[in-house]
Amino acid sequence: MSLSIRKLPDTEFEVMQAIWACTPPVHRIQIHELLKDIHPMASTTLLTLLTRLSEKGFIRIEKVNRNSHYYPLVSKED
């Protein structure tokens, strides 16, 4: 990432860690399953966080029929 270092809020960072732990394309249910024990949250909250991460340029959301696929745009090392 050529931009200056950006810091994510803790919850958004946890969502990114769950995305990095999966093989793209990542589905919401995969993220939810990874987070349910460490940071349980409602599906609507998770969707809001995914939208924020997309707006910040950390992930790309691709709509496939009625499903959304999530792709990390930033590597864990960045």
Side-chain angles (χ1 to χ4, degrees):
M1 180 192 275
S2 62
L3 303 174
S4 61
I5 296 173
R6 295 191 261 176
K7 180 159 172 47
L8 289 174
D10 291 342
T11 307
E12 289 178 13
F13 184 68
E14 288 175 2
V15 172
M16 279 304 301
Q17 287 182 316
I19 292 171
W20 289 322
C22 299
T23 302
V26 183
H27 304 275
R28 181 196 51 81
I29 194 71
Q30 292 174 285
I31 300 166
H32 183 75
E33 284 296 315
L34 288 171
L35 294 175
K36 71 179 181 183
D37 293 330
I38 59 170
H39 195 113
M41 65 181 77
S43 293
T44 53
T45 302
L46 179 55
L47 291 171
T48 299
L49 292 170
L50 290 166
T51 300
R52 286 183 190 164
L53 287 168
S54 174
E55 290 169 353
K56 291 179 179 181
F58 285 89
I59 64 171
R60 175 173 54 93
I61 302 173
E62 183 178 296
K63 300 282 185 181
V64 179
N65 298 322
R66 298 186 74 192
N67 299 310
S68 294
H69 296 166
Y70 303 95
Y71 297 86
L73 298 177
V74 177
S75 71
K76 190 173 185 174
E77 292 75 30
D78 287 342

